[in-house]
Structure formats: C-alpha cells, structure tokens
Amino acid sequence: MFLDCSAPKTLEGLAWASCYLTSGKHIDFYWAFVVVLALLACTAPMALMFGYGGATAARSHSLPVRMFGKCYIAMVRGIPDIIFFLFFVIALDQAIEWTKHQIVCPDWTEPVRQGLEFKVCPAAKVPQAGTAPVVHQIYGFGLAVVTFSIVFGAFVANVLYGAMNAVPRAQLETAEAYGMTHRQVHRRILVPQMWTYALPGLSNLWLILIKATPLLFLLGVRDIVYFARELGGSKTQAYEYPHPDWRLWYFLGLMAFYLLMTWGSEKVLRRLSARLSKGQATAAGEALRKAGAVA
Amino acid sequence: MKTKILASGAVLALMAGMASAQTVRLGTEGAYPPYNFINDAGEIVGFEVELGNELCKRAGLTCEWVQNDWDSIIPNLQSGNYDAIMAGMSITDEREEVIDFTQNYIPPASSSYVGLTADVDIKGGVVAAQTGTIQAGYVAESGATLLEFATPEETVAAVKSGEAVAVFADKDYLVPVVAESGGELVMLDADVQLGGGVGMGLRDSDDELRGKFDAAIKSMKCDGSLDALIARAEYFGPEAVVFGDAGKEGC
C-alpha cells in the first residue's frame, strides 16, 4: 500500500497513524532496537572473554598477573556504573587520540591539555574531521561495546573465578595423576566443568546487561529509551505530527520489549542449565540422573 | 516544510561551493523547538540550524551537525567532539569562565513562568526548570523549590502532572506550548530578563574560529537577514524581540 504522507496535517485516523508510524524518526526508532540487539550480541561474547581473562589472571601462579586480575575485578566492581560510563568513555576516547597524536604529530609543540580543554593535532582526531556522520556513530558504538565489556567483564571474571574454585579438587588431582600438565588440566577438566557452576551467575549478568542498555544514551548512542522519550513527548505545531504527551504508550511498548527479551532468555538459559548439569556431581546433575532412571 | 527546503538548499549550496573547506562540527541539543529540534523525518532542524548553515556559508566553512545531550554539551566541546555549540545557550558569566562566546545571535529575551492557574505561588512553591540553565539558577535563588529535569519537555510535563506548580523557561519555547495546551496551561504575568542573549559557544583556544563566526553574525545583523530570520513565523514570529537598529551599529 502506498501512502501519500506529504501533508500529514490533513490526514486522519488510520492514514495518519500509518504515516506517523513510518516517519523518518520512527524508522530511526526501529533501527535503535537493532542497535540494542547488536550491542548485546557484541558485548556478551566480549565480556565473557574479558571475564575469562580476568578470572584466569586472578588465579595465575605469577604474582604480578594475579595482582592485575584481582585489581581489575575489584576496581571495576567497586565503581558505580554511571561514573564509569561518564568518565571512562571520555578517557578512552582521549587515550586513543593522545596515542595517535604521539605517533602522527611528533613535532606538535602546543600542550595537549590546556586547562579543561583537550586538544590534539587535527590529523590525530578519531574519527577524522569531515568523515561521514555514520563513521562517528560506529566509533561511538565501538566505544560503547568496549566500555560495557570491561564493566560486565569484571563481574563475569568474579563469577568464573568462583566457578573455577567450585570444580571439585579431586577431579583436578585425578587428572594430574594421569600425567596431564597444568595447561591440560585447565583446558580439559576445569573449563568444561566450571560452566555448570558459573551459569546462574552468568544468567544474572545477562539479564542485568539487557536492562542496562539504556545507559547507551550516556555514551552518545541514541537508544530506544531516548527515542521513546523523544517521540512520546508532546509535540507542538512546529512538528508535522503534533500530539499530546504519549510517553506512557511508548514506555509500555519498551516494557513489552524488555519483558520479551528477558522471558526468552530465561527459557534458553533453563535449557542450557539442564544441558550443562548432565552427568555433573551436583544436586542438579543427580536430579537429572534420577529422572532419567525412572523414565 | 518550507524550513526543510530552505535548510537543505543551504546545505546543497554549501557542499557545492566549499567542498574543500575546513569542516566544523556544530553541537546542538535537538530537543528545544523552535531553536533546534529533531523533526519527524529524523533530521536536526530549527532556527539555529538554518542560522548556523547560513553563518558557515558566509564564513566559508563546511559544517555538520552533531546531536548531544544538554548535560554533557560543554564537556564534549572541551574534549573536542565538536567545535561549537549552538543550542539556545544564553551568554552568562559562569559559562564565560569555561568557554568563549561569539556575539549574541538572539537578543536578550524574556523567561516566563507557566502554571495551571495564574495565581500559583512561584516564590514558595515547587518550580520546574531544565538542569544547567540560567532559569534553573534563577529559580534556585528566588526562594522557590527547584525541580530539575534533563529535557525541556519533562519540565512542562511536571506542571501538567502537578509535580511542580510552574515551569520557568525561555518565553519563546513556552508560547507555543501554552497556545496548544487547550487552556490547560496559562502564562503568568511575571517575565524576567536573564542573560546576555543567545550566542555560539566555542573553546577558549579557538579564537580564529570565533572571529570567523563573529564576523558572519555581524554581517547578518548588518544586512538585516538575522532579524528577518528571527521574525519568521515558524521560528519566533513577528512579535519577537529583534536587534533592529542597535544591531546595525558599526556596520
């Protein structure tokens, strides 16, 4: 169906609604859902990687590595998210530009920090001045993914650290008795078995991560909560589609989206948990075994 | 609609003429009609966008617009995410300490109170204002209880919901809001003059850029095109305060 939306103020009823819901700003709003899902898809594996690195470092036999791992976990976990998000992104952005500045502008004489200002040479700007706005958006999104991953990675690290310690020591000793090296024990015995202990903690983090995505707007990425507030706010005649305060409806829509996300995640996580408990020497594993024996 | 055509015309002229010129990023809030807002097509439009594009054309610069949250609009200027702010920002002494302003492109204008009735207590009640604005500072000192919100939209919503007895903001922003509320909101007869007009904010160290924009603003004051733009119906209307002859001094 082709709609003529060129004069929205003359439209009424269904035609108005379909024009309204397909306006450019609404299309941006729908895209923001994709951005949120993309953020989750990028952040989850990356946070898991950071967490795994952090946990392994915290259990390392070398003191400096262990200190580093424990410091990372303690620091990030201890700092309120909102401070981290406000401070860290600007710091990360400036660190990238400062590093590039040192490389591309070695002859630059002016100080980079002038009072409250941060000025690198024009060639060291990331992204370069004059690049398309979409590049700036992708860069902003990248910063957001890294920041989210570092924050959630610290929590993941602590969960995995606990899970690694929960794997029965007897299992590891048996493996060592078979002549496996430390590395082999880690890879073949410890890591495959730790997941059943880690999953409850990780599933918590996943749900918290879903709910934390509105923090994206703090990082300059226009997310669904920003659009819901912006689109729902009452609009005067300066806009093409004037309407009263409709924020309630937009937020109800968001609520449905978030509930759907968490509900779907719960289902997947429950299956995953059953799968991982199979054959484990835990209460859940024992329950599965008994259920199997009866059937 | 007319705005959009004119604005895109200005952008086209810019791209054709100044392809090789320096690119300047302009930061704005995008939530403060008619100064700057995101229209239904998802584009940044408004008085400041049209003015900014014209200033860039006169200064021989290529400009692009960046939307940024009001709360972090000055820190992001300082860390270099954009080069100038055009966001209905009044020139005040507090802001002069951290950034530089061009000469004003909107003369000092009135701020007004809007409430549900004309007799609400604006000296002792709860008054809503946007965080970090001159109006918020004024309310805090007026004896009323200040209730701050991140966006102008929310300050008006707070009055409608009864959370605050009145909202205090730029009169130009409130006039259409009151006109379209269907009699629900009334403007109080208590206008206040605040600030030194609206100007463009730049980093302290960017004197050269500030000079270019200053000259461009002056040239628009001299040929009367700035006053004409302010008085356009879709922006501040024929009754708005304009520069008039005072703006033409020293032309």
Side-chain angles (χ1 to χ4, degrees), chain A residues 23-25 94 117-119 125 136 222 226 234 236-237 240-241 247, chain B residues 25 37-38 40 67 78-81 153-154 157 180 203-206:
Chain A
S23 69
K25 210 181 202 170
Q94 293 190 349
E117 290 175 22
F118 179 83
K119 270 194 102 167
K125 284 242 135 260
H136 284 276
R222 296 192 291 170
Y226 161 77
S234 62
T236 61
Q237 296 292 334
E240 287 183 5
Y241 301 90
R247 284 181 299 175
Chain B
R25 286 161 62 81
F37 60 102
I38 311 292
D40 291 289
Q67 194 193 352
Q78 287 169 329
S79 72
N81 289 0
E153 163 63 31
E154 288 164 303
E180 287 170 33
R203 283 183 292 269
D204 273 334
S205 55
D206 271 351

PDB file of all heavy atoms in Angstrom, chain A residues 23-25 94 117-119 125 136 222 226 234 236-237 240-241 247, chain B residues 25 37-38 40 67 78-81 153-154 157 180 203-206:
ATOM      1  N   SER A  23       7.207   7.533   9.895  1.00  0.00           N
ATOM      2  CA  SER A  23       8.004   8.747   9.693  1.00  0.00           C
ATOM      3  C   SER A  23       9.484   8.425   9.885  1.00  0.00           C
ATOM      4  O   SER A  23       9.827   7.415  10.504  1.00  0.00           O
ATOM      5  CB  SER A  23       7.567   9.828  10.672  1.00  0.00           C
ATOM      6  OG  SER A  23       7.930   9.452  11.981  1.00  0.00           O
ATOM      7  N   GLY A  24      10.325   9.296   9.357  1.00  0.00           N
ATOM      8  CA  GLY A  24      11.770   9.057   9.428  1.00  0.00           C
ATOM      9  C   GLY A  24      12.246   8.810  10.838  1.00  0.00           C
ATOM     10  O   GLY A  24      13.106   7.961  11.091  1.00  0.00           O
ATOM     11  N   LYS A  25      11.675   9.552  11.776  1.00  0.00           N
ATOM     12  CA  LYS A  25      12.100   9.412  13.165  1.00  0.00           C
ATOM     13  C   LYS A  25      11.699   8.054  13.731  1.00  0.00           C
ATOM     14  O   LYS A  25      12.438   7.472  14.519  1.00  0.00           O
ATOM     15  CB  LYS A  25      11.433  10.513  13.969  1.00  0.00           C
ATOM     16  CG  LYS A  25      12.223  10.990  15.153  1.00  0.00           C
ATOM     17  CD  LYS A  25      11.369  12.044  15.820  1.00  0.00           C
ATOM     18  CE  LYS A  25      12.107  12.988  16.679  1.00  0.00           C
ATOM     19  NZ  LYS A  25      11.206  14.074  17.070  1.00  0.00           N
ATOM     20  N   GLN A  94      39.975   9.913  24.704  1.00  0.00           N
ATOM     21  CA  GLN A  94      41.149  10.784  24.763  1.00  0.00           C
ATOM     22  C   GLN A  94      42.442   9.971  24.703  1.00  0.00           C
ATOM     23  O   GLN A  94      43.418  10.412  24.113  1.00  0.00           O
ATOM     24  CB  GLN A  94      41.099  11.637  26.029  1.00  0.00           C
ATOM     25  CG  GLN A  94      39.946  12.641  25.986  1.00  0.00           C
ATOM     26  CD  GLN A  94      39.997  13.654  27.104  1.00  0.00           C
ATOM     27  OE1 GLN A  94      40.770  13.519  28.043  1.00  0.00           O
ATOM     28  NE2 GLN A  94      39.160  14.666  27.014  1.00  0.00           N
ATOM     29  N   GLU A 117      40.572  21.953  28.479  1.00  0.00           N
ATOM     30  CA  GLU A 117      40.450  21.515  27.094  1.00  0.00           C
ATOM     31  C   GLU A 117      41.433  20.419  26.751  1.00  0.00           C
ATOM     32  O   GLU A 117      42.515  20.333  27.303  1.00  0.00           O
ATOM     33  CB  GLU A 117      40.684  22.706  26.153  1.00  0.00           C
ATOM     34  CG  GLU A 117      39.558  23.700  26.205  1.00  0.00           C
ATOM     35  CD  GLU A 117      39.858  24.920  25.366  1.00  0.00           C
ATOM     36  OE1 GLU A 117      40.692  24.811  24.453  1.00  0.00           O
ATOM     37  OE2 GLU A 117      39.271  25.976  25.640  1.00  0.00           O
ATOM     38  N   PHE A 118      41.009  19.603  25.811  1.00  0.00           N
ATOM     39  CA  PHE A 118      41.842  18.516  25.326  1.00  0.00           C
ATOM     40  C   PHE A 118      42.002  18.731  23.838  1.00  0.00           C
ATOM     41  O   PHE A 118      41.039  18.635  23.078  1.00  0.00           O
ATOM     42  CB  PHE A 118      41.157  17.180  25.614  1.00  0.00           C
ATOM     43  CG  PHE A 118      41.914  15.992  25.128  1.00  0.00           C
ATOM     44  CD1 PHE A 118      42.941  15.457  25.882  1.00  0.00           C
ATOM     45  CD2 PHE A 118      41.608  15.408  23.910  1.00  0.00           C
ATOM     46  CE1 PHE A 118      43.641  14.360  25.425  1.00  0.00           C
ATOM     47  CE2 PHE A 118      42.311  14.312  23.448  1.00  0.00           C
ATOM     48  CZ  PHE A 118      43.331  13.786  24.220  1.00  0.00           C
ATOM     49  N   LYS A 119      43.240  19.099  23.425  1.00  0.00           N
ATOM     50  CA  LYS A 119      43.433  19.434  22.011  1.00  0.00           C
ATOM     51  C   LYS A 119      44.583  18.659  21.410  1.00  0.00           C
ATOM     52  O   LYS A 119      45.737  18.885  21.763  1.00  0.00           O
ATOM     53  CB  LYS A 119      43.717  20.934  21.867  1.00  0.00           C
ATOM     54  CG  LYS A 119      42.461  21.747  21.691  1.00  0.00           C
ATOM     55  CD  LYS A 119      42.795  23.141  21.222  1.00  0.00           C
ATOM     56  CE  LYS A 119      42.542  23.275  19.751  1.00  0.00           C
ATOM     57  NZ  LYS A 119      42.567  24.665  19.310  1.00  0.00           N
ATOM     58  N   LYS A 125      42.748  13.397  15.183  1.00  0.00           N
ATOM     59  CA  LYS A 125      41.355  13.240  15.633  1.00  0.00           C
ATOM     60  C   LYS A 125      40.825  11.884  15.194  1.00  0.00           C
ATOM     61  O   LYS A 125      41.072  11.439  14.088  1.00  0.00           O
ATOM     62  CB  LYS A 125      40.494  14.351  15.015  1.00  0.00           C
ATOM     63  CG  LYS A 125      40.696  15.674  15.707  1.00  0.00           C
ATOM     64  CD  LYS A 125      39.407  16.103  16.317  1.00  0.00           C
ATOM     65  CE  LYS A 125      39.435  16.619  17.676  1.00  0.00           C
ATOM     66  NZ  LYS A 125      39.122  16.002  18.808  1.00  0.00           N
ATOM     67  N   HIS A 136      31.246   8.366  12.687  1.00  0.00           N
ATOM     68  CA  HIS A 136      31.234   8.827  14.077  1.00  0.00           C
ATOM     69  C   HIS A 136      30.321   7.945  14.920  1.00  0.00           C
ATOM     70  O   HIS A 136      30.623   7.613  16.054  1.00  0.00           O
ATOM     71  CB  HIS A 136      30.759  10.285  14.149  1.00  0.00           C
ATOM     72  CG  HIS A 136      31.797  11.271  13.717  1.00  0.00           C
ATOM     73  ND1 HIS A 136      32.758  11.736  14.571  1.00  0.00           N
ATOM     74  CD2 HIS A 136      32.023  11.857  12.526  1.00  0.00           C
ATOM     75  CE1 HIS A 136      33.540  12.596  13.915  1.00  0.00           C
ATOM     76  NE2 HIS A 136      33.115  12.681  12.680  1.00  0.00           N
ATOM     77  N   ARG A 222      22.123   6.897  20.393  1.00  0.00           N
ATOM     78  CA  ARG A 222      20.692   7.121  20.610  1.00  0.00           C
ATOM     79  C   ARG A 222      19.984   5.773  20.670  1.00  0.00           C
ATOM     80  O   ARG A 222      19.832   5.110  19.659  1.00  0.00           O
ATOM     81  CB  ARG A 222      20.133   8.002  19.495  1.00  0.00           C
ATOM     82  CG  ARG A 222      20.776   9.390  19.523  1.00  0.00           C
ATOM     83  CD  ARG A 222      20.052  10.354  18.640  1.00  0.00           C
ATOM     84  NE  ARG A 222      20.236   9.992  17.238  1.00  0.00           N
ATOM     85  CZ  ARG A 222      19.562  10.557  16.260  1.00  0.00           C
ATOM     86  NH1 ARG A 222      18.648  11.462  16.528  1.00  0.00           N
ATOM     87  NH2 ARG A 222      19.774  10.210  15.017  1.00  0.00           N
ATOM     88  N   TYR A 226      15.890   6.647  24.630  1.00  0.00           N
ATOM     89  CA  TYR A 226      15.976   8.029  24.152  1.00  0.00           C
ATOM     90  C   TYR A 226      14.859   8.313  23.155  1.00  0.00           C
ATOM     91  O   TYR A 226      14.153   9.321  23.259  1.00  0.00           O
ATOM     92  CB  TYR A 226      17.338   8.294  23.493  1.00  0.00           C
ATOM     93  CG  TYR A 226      17.321   9.505  22.593  1.00  0.00           C
ATOM     94  CD1 TYR A 226      17.363  10.781  23.135  1.00  0.00           C
ATOM     95  CD2 TYR A 226      17.186   9.369  21.218  1.00  0.00           C
ATOM     96  CE1 TYR A 226      17.295  11.897  22.326  1.00  0.00           C
ATOM     97  CE2 TYR A 226      17.118  10.480  20.400  1.00  0.00           C
ATOM     98  CZ  TYR A 226      17.173  11.739  20.948  1.00  0.00           C
ATOM     99  OH  TYR A 226      17.093  12.830  20.143  1.00  0.00           O
ATOM    100  N   SER A 234       5.121  15.503  24.217  1.00  0.00           N
ATOM    101  CA  SER A 234       4.079  16.200  23.461  1.00  0.00           C
ATOM    102  C   SER A 234       4.727  17.091  22.408  1.00  0.00           C
ATOM    103  O   SER A 234       5.774  17.697  22.640  1.00  0.00           O
ATOM    104  CB  SER A 234       3.197  17.010  24.397  1.00  0.00           C
ATOM    105  OG  SER A 234       3.957  17.991  25.037  1.00  0.00           O
ATOM    106  N   THR A 236       4.351  20.202  19.556  1.00  0.00           N
ATOM    107  CA  THR A 236       3.578  21.380  19.158  1.00  0.00           C
ATOM    108  C   THR A 236       3.433  21.409  17.640  1.00  0.00           C
ATOM    109  O   THR A 236       3.905  20.508  16.948  1.00  0.00           O
ATOM    110  CB  THR A 236       4.305  22.659  19.604  1.00  0.00           C
ATOM    111  OG1 THR A 236       5.573  22.679  18.966  1.00  0.00           O
ATOM    112  CG2 THR A 236       4.487  22.692  21.104  1.00  0.00           C
ATOM    113  N   GLN A 237       2.804  22.468  17.127  1.00  0.00           N
ATOM    114  CA  GLN A 237       2.578  22.579  15.688  1.00  0.00           C
ATOM    115  C   GLN A 237       3.877  22.753  14.902  1.00  0.00           C
ATOM    116  O   GLN A 237       3.865  22.707  13.672  1.00  0.00           O
ATOM    117  CB  GLN A 237       1.636  23.757  15.386  1.00  0.00           C
ATOM    118  CG  GLN A 237       0.231  23.591  15.942  1.00  0.00           C
ATOM    119  CD  GLN A 237      -0.554  22.479  15.254  1.00  0.00           C
ATOM    120  OE1 GLN A 237      -0.289  22.146  14.109  1.00  0.00           O
ATOM    121  NE2 GLN A 237      -1.491  21.886  15.976  1.00  0.00           N
ATOM    122  N   GLU A 240       5.451  18.013  12.312  1.00  0.00           N
ATOM    123  CA  GLU A 240       4.460  17.626  11.310  1.00  0.00           C
ATOM    124  C   GLU A 240       3.345  16.781  11.902  1.00  0.00           C
ATOM    125  O   GLU A 240       2.255  16.715  11.375  1.00  0.00           O
ATOM    126  CB  GLU A 240       5.151  16.863  10.176  1.00  0.00           C
ATOM    127  CG  GLU A 240       5.982  17.789   9.300  1.00  0.00           C
ATOM    128  CD  GLU A 240       6.618  17.045   8.140  1.00  0.00           C
ATOM    129  OE1 GLU A 240       6.338  15.855   7.978  1.00  0.00           O
ATOM    130  OE2 GLU A 240       7.392  17.684   7.420  1.00  0.00           O
ATOM    131  N   TYR A 241       3.661  16.078  12.981  1.00  0.00           N
ATOM    132  CA  TYR A 241       2.646  15.235  13.614  1.00  0.00           C
ATOM    133  C   TYR A 241       2.453  15.682  15.064  1.00  0.00           C
ATOM    134  O   TYR A 241       2.971  15.044  15.973  1.00  0.00           O
ATOM    135  CB  TYR A 241       3.067  13.761  13.587  1.00  0.00           C
ATOM    136  CG  TYR A 241       3.295  13.201  12.208  1.00  0.00           C
ATOM    137  CD1 TYR A 241       4.555  13.267  11.618  1.00  0.00           C
ATOM    138  CD2 TYR A 241       2.262  12.596  11.506  1.00  0.00           C
ATOM    139  CE1 TYR A 241       4.779  12.746  10.349  1.00  0.00           C
ATOM    140  CE2 TYR A 241       2.475  12.080  10.242  1.00  0.00           C
ATOM    141  CZ  TYR A 241       3.726  12.156   9.670  1.00  0.00           C
ATOM    142  OH  TYR A 241       3.942  11.648   8.423  1.00  0.00           O
ATOM    143  N   ARG A 247       4.119   9.545  26.114  1.00  0.00           N
ATOM    144  CA  ARG A 247       5.265   8.768  26.591  1.00  0.00           C
ATOM    145  C   ARG A 247       4.846   7.449  27.218  1.00  0.00           C
ATOM    146  O   ARG A 247       5.531   6.445  27.081  1.00  0.00           O
ATOM    147  CB  ARG A 247       6.083   9.592  27.590  1.00  0.00           C
ATOM    148  CG  ARG A 247       6.935  10.639  26.907  1.00  0.00           C
ATOM    149  CD  ARG A 247       7.729  11.415  27.900  1.00  0.00           C
ATOM    150  NE  ARG A 247       6.846  12.109  28.816  1.00  0.00           N
ATOM    151  CZ  ARG A 247       7.270  12.797  29.867  1.00  0.00           C
ATOM    152  NH1 ARG A 247       8.546  12.866  30.125  1.00  0.00           N
ATOM    153  NH2 ARG A 247       6.423  13.410  30.654  1.00  0.00           N
TER     154      ARG A 247
ATOM    155  N   ARG B  25      32.335  21.032  13.178  1.00  0.00           N
ATOM    156  CA  ARG B  25      31.206  20.285  13.733  1.00  0.00           C
ATOM    157  C   ARG B  25      30.469  21.157  14.745  1.00  0.00           C
ATOM    158  O   ARG B  25      31.086  21.724  15.641  1.00  0.00           O
ATOM    159  CB  ARG B  25      31.712  18.993  14.388  1.00  0.00           C
ATOM    160  CG  ARG B  25      32.122  17.942  13.351  1.00  0.00           C
ATOM    161  CD  ARG B  25      33.020  16.868  13.919  1.00  0.00           C
ATOM    162  NE  ARG B  25      32.401  16.079  14.988  1.00  0.00           N
ATOM    163  CZ  ARG B  25      31.568  15.071  14.793  1.00  0.00           C
ATOM    164  NH1 ARG B  25      31.230  14.718  13.577  1.00  0.00           N
ATOM    165  NH2 ARG B  25      31.078  14.397  15.818  1.00  0.00           N
ATOM    166  N   PHE B  37      15.535  21.225  16.985  1.00  0.00           N
ATOM    167  CA  PHE B  37      14.795  20.008  17.321  1.00  0.00           C
ATOM    168  C   PHE B  37      14.931  18.987  16.204  1.00  0.00           C
ATOM    169  O   PHE B  37      15.407  19.297  15.120  1.00  0.00           O
ATOM    170  CB  PHE B  37      13.313  20.312  17.611  1.00  0.00           C
ATOM    171  CG  PHE B  37      12.546  20.937  16.469  1.00  0.00           C
ATOM    172  CD1 PHE B  37      11.695  20.178  15.696  1.00  0.00           C
ATOM    173  CD2 PHE B  37      12.666  22.295  16.205  1.00  0.00           C
ATOM    174  CE1 PHE B  37      10.969  20.763  14.651  1.00  0.00           C
ATOM    175  CE2 PHE B  37      11.948  22.882  15.174  1.00  0.00           C
ATOM    176  CZ  PHE B  37      11.103  22.115  14.388  1.00  0.00           C
ATOM    177  N   ILE B  38      14.559  17.750  16.531  1.00  0.00           N
ATOM    178  CA  ILE B  38      14.589  16.689  15.532  1.00  0.00           C
ATOM    179  C   ILE B  38      13.191  16.615  14.934  1.00  0.00           C
ATOM    180  O   ILE B  38      12.230  16.388  15.646  1.00  0.00           O
ATOM    181  CB  ILE B  38      14.928  15.328  16.190  1.00  0.00           C
ATOM    182  CG1 ILE B  38      16.147  15.444  17.094  1.00  0.00           C
ATOM    183  CG2 ILE B  38      15.122  14.254  15.142  1.00  0.00           C
ATOM    184  CD1 ILE B  38      17.427  15.693  16.398  1.00  0.00           C
ATOM    185  N   ASP B  40      10.076  15.228  12.266  1.00  0.00           N
ATOM    186  CA  ASP B  40       9.519  13.886  12.138  1.00  0.00           C
ATOM    187  C   ASP B  40      10.260  13.027  11.128  1.00  0.00           C
ATOM    188  O   ASP B  40      10.096  11.817  11.107  1.00  0.00           O
ATOM    189  CB  ASP B  40       8.039  13.980  11.797  1.00  0.00           C
ATOM    190  CG  ASP B  40       7.247  14.528  12.970  1.00  0.00           C
ATOM    191  OD1 ASP B  40       7.109  13.807  13.959  1.00  0.00           O
ATOM    192  OD2 ASP B  40       6.805  15.686  12.907  1.00  0.00           O
ATOM    193  N   GLN B  67      24.320  15.882  17.375  1.00  0.00           N
ATOM    194  CA  GLN B  67      23.375  15.994  18.473  1.00  0.00           C
ATOM    195  C   GLN B  67      24.043  15.517  19.755  1.00  0.00           C
ATOM    196  O   GLN B  67      24.731  14.505  19.760  1.00  0.00           O
ATOM    197  CB  GLN B  67      22.141  15.145  18.179  1.00  0.00           C
ATOM    198  CG  GLN B  67      21.004  15.477  19.112  1.00  0.00           C
ATOM    199  CD  GLN B  67      19.917  14.439  19.036  1.00  0.00           C
ATOM    200  OE1 GLN B  67      19.949  13.555  18.193  1.00  0.00           O
ATOM    201  NE2 GLN B  67      18.966  14.542  19.928  1.00  0.00           N
ATOM    202  N   GLN B  78      34.763  20.704  25.056  1.00  0.00           N
ATOM    203  CA  GLN B  78      36.147  20.834  25.522  1.00  0.00           C
ATOM    204  C   GLN B  78      36.998  19.637  25.135  1.00  0.00           C
ATOM    205  O   GLN B  78      38.186  19.772  24.888  1.00  0.00           O
ATOM    206  CB  GLN B  78      36.159  21.023  27.036  1.00  0.00           C
ATOM    207  CG  GLN B  78      35.691  22.401  27.424  1.00  0.00           C
ATOM    208  CD  GLN B  78      35.443  22.535  28.896  1.00  0.00           C
ATOM    209  OE1 GLN B  78      35.064  21.564  29.547  1.00  0.00           O
ATOM    210  NE2 GLN B  78      35.652  23.712  29.430  1.00  0.00           N
ATOM    211  N   SER B  79      36.387  18.448  25.085  1.00  0.00           N
ATOM    212  CA  SER B  79      37.207  17.301  24.720  1.00  0.00           C
ATOM    213  C   SER B  79      37.255  17.124  23.207  1.00  0.00           C
ATOM    214  O   SER B  79      37.824  16.158  22.719  1.00  0.00           O
ATOM    215  CB  SER B  79      36.718  16.036  25.419  1.00  0.00           C
ATOM    216  OG  SER B  79      35.508  15.619  24.865  1.00  0.00           O
ATOM    217  N   GLY B  80      36.670  18.084  22.465  1.00  0.00           N
ATOM    218  CA  GLY B  80      36.904  18.123  21.029  1.00  0.00           C
ATOM    219  C   GLY B  80      35.974  17.272  20.187  1.00  0.00           C
ATOM    220  O   GLY B  80      36.278  17.000  19.035  1.00  0.00           O
ATOM    221  N   ASN B  81      34.836  16.836  20.749  1.00  0.00           N
ATOM    222  CA  ASN B  81      33.906  16.045  19.936  1.00  0.00           C
ATOM    223  C   ASN B  81      33.199  16.898  18.892  1.00  0.00           C
ATOM    224  O   ASN B  81      32.715  16.392  17.897  1.00  0.00           O
ATOM    225  CB  ASN B  81      32.871  15.352  20.816  1.00  0.00           C
ATOM    226  CG  ASN B  81      33.494  14.232  21.609  1.00  0.00           C
ATOM    227  OD1 ASN B  81      34.692  13.991  21.491  1.00  0.00           O
ATOM    228  ND2 ASN B  81      32.702  13.558  22.408  1.00  0.00           N
ATOM    229  N   GLU B 153      11.038  19.289  27.675  1.00  0.00           N
ATOM    230  CA  GLU B 153       9.772  18.558  27.593  1.00  0.00           C
ATOM    231  C   GLU B 153       9.292  18.087  28.971  1.00  0.00           C
ATOM    232  O   GLU B 153       8.125  18.235  29.335  1.00  0.00           O
ATOM    233  CB  GLU B 153       9.990  17.375  26.641  1.00  0.00           C
ATOM    234  CG  GLU B 153       8.959  16.270  26.696  1.00  0.00           C
ATOM    235  CD  GLU B 153       7.589  16.734  26.288  1.00  0.00           C
ATOM    236  OE1 GLU B 153       7.508  17.642  25.447  1.00  0.00           O
ATOM    237  OE2 GLU B 153       6.598  16.193  26.812  1.00  0.00           O
ATOM    238  N   GLU B 154      10.213  17.542  29.755  1.00  0.00           N
ATOM    239  CA  GLU B 154       9.836  16.990  31.056  1.00  0.00           C
ATOM    240  C   GLU B 154       9.436  18.076  32.050  1.00  0.00           C
ATOM    241  O   GLU B 154       8.627  17.822  32.948  1.00  0.00           O
ATOM    242  CB  GLU B 154      10.997  16.172  31.632  1.00  0.00           C
ATOM    243  CG  GLU B 154      11.223  14.866  30.921  1.00  0.00           C
ATOM    244  CD  GLU B 154      12.574  14.250  31.237  1.00  0.00           C
ATOM    245  OE1 GLU B 154      13.602  14.916  31.019  1.00  0.00           O
ATOM    246  OE2 GLU B 154      12.597  13.120  31.729  1.00  0.00           O
ATOM    247  N   ALA B 157       5.847  18.695  31.384  1.00  0.00           N
ATOM    248  CA  ALA B 157       5.058  17.541  31.827  1.00  0.00           C
ATOM    249  C   ALA B 157       4.889  17.551  33.344  1.00  0.00           C
ATOM    250  O   ALA B 157       3.857  17.139  33.865  1.00  0.00           O
ATOM    251  CB  ALA B 157       5.719  16.254  31.363  1.00  0.00           C
ATOM    252  N   GLU B 180      -1.028  25.687  22.579  1.00  0.00           N
ATOM    253  CA  GLU B 180      -1.585  24.417  22.120  1.00  0.00           C
ATOM    254  C   GLU B 180      -2.048  23.518  23.255  1.00  0.00           C
ATOM    255  O   GLU B 180      -2.404  22.366  23.031  1.00  0.00           O
ATOM    256  CB  GLU B 180      -0.552  23.690  21.254  1.00  0.00           C
ATOM    257  CG  GLU B 180      -0.405  24.365  19.906  1.00  0.00           C
ATOM    258  CD  GLU B 180       0.767  23.822  19.126  1.00  0.00           C
ATOM    259  OE1 GLU B 180       1.055  22.629  19.275  1.00  0.00           O
ATOM    260  OE2 GLU B 180       1.383  24.591  18.368  1.00  0.00           O
ATOM    261  N   ARG B 203      35.495  26.743  22.186  1.00  0.00           N
ATOM    262  CA  ARG B 203      36.603  26.545  23.121  1.00  0.00           C
ATOM    263  C   ARG B 203      37.395  27.846  23.274  1.00  0.00           C
ATOM    264  O   ARG B 203      37.523  28.602  22.325  1.00  0.00           O
ATOM    265  CB  ARG B 203      37.543  25.446  22.596  1.00  0.00           C
ATOM    266  CG  ARG B 203      37.034  24.044  22.792  1.00  0.00           C
ATOM    267  CD  ARG B 203      38.063  23.037  22.310  1.00  0.00           C
ATOM    268  NE  ARG B 203      38.213  23.089  20.866  1.00  0.00           N
ATOM    269  CZ  ARG B 203      37.506  22.343  20.019  1.00  0.00           C
ATOM    270  NH1 ARG B 203      36.607  21.497  20.481  1.00  0.00           N
ATOM    271  NH2 ARG B 203      37.672  22.433  18.723  1.00  0.00           N
ATOM    272  N   ASP B 204      37.926  28.073  24.467  1.00  0.00           N
ATOM    273  CA  ASP B 204      38.713  29.273  24.746  1.00  0.00           C
ATOM    274  C   ASP B 204      39.837  29.472  23.741  1.00  0.00           C
ATOM    275  O   ASP B 204      40.195  30.583  23.392  1.00  0.00           O
ATOM    276  CB  ASP B 204      39.334  29.172  26.147  1.00  0.00           C
ATOM    277  CG  ASP B 204      38.369  29.701  27.202  1.00  0.00           C
ATOM    278  OD1 ASP B 204      37.530  30.538  26.842  1.00  0.00           O
ATOM    279  OD2 ASP B 204      38.470  29.268  28.351  1.00  0.00           O
ATOM    280  N   SER B 205      40.417  28.356  23.290  1.00  0.00           N
ATOM    281  CA  SER B 205      41.614  28.443  22.451  1.00  0.00           C
ATOM    282  C   SER B 205      41.294  28.655  20.972  1.00  0.00           C
ATOM    283  O   SER B 205      42.194  28.882  20.182  1.00  0.00           O
ATOM    284  CB  SER B 205      42.434  27.168  22.612  1.00  0.00           C
ATOM    285  OG  SER B 205      41.627  26.052  22.329  1.00  0.00           O
ATOM    286  N   ASP B 206      40.016  28.600  20.612  1.00  0.00           N
ATOM    287  CA  ASP B 206      39.664  28.696  19.194  1.00  0.00           C
ATOM    288  C   ASP B 206      39.333  30.120  18.760  1.00  0.00           C
ATOM    289  O   ASP B 206      38.279  30.368  18.182  1.00  0.00           O
ATOM    290  CB  ASP B 206      38.467  27.782  18.888  1.00  0.00           C
ATOM    291  CG  ASP B 206      38.909  26.386  18.504  1.00  0.00           C
ATOM    292  OD1 ASP B 206      40.133  26.199  18.317  1.00  0.00           O
ATOM    293  OD2 ASP B 206      38.063  25.499  18.397  1.00  0.00           O
TER     294      ASP B 206
END
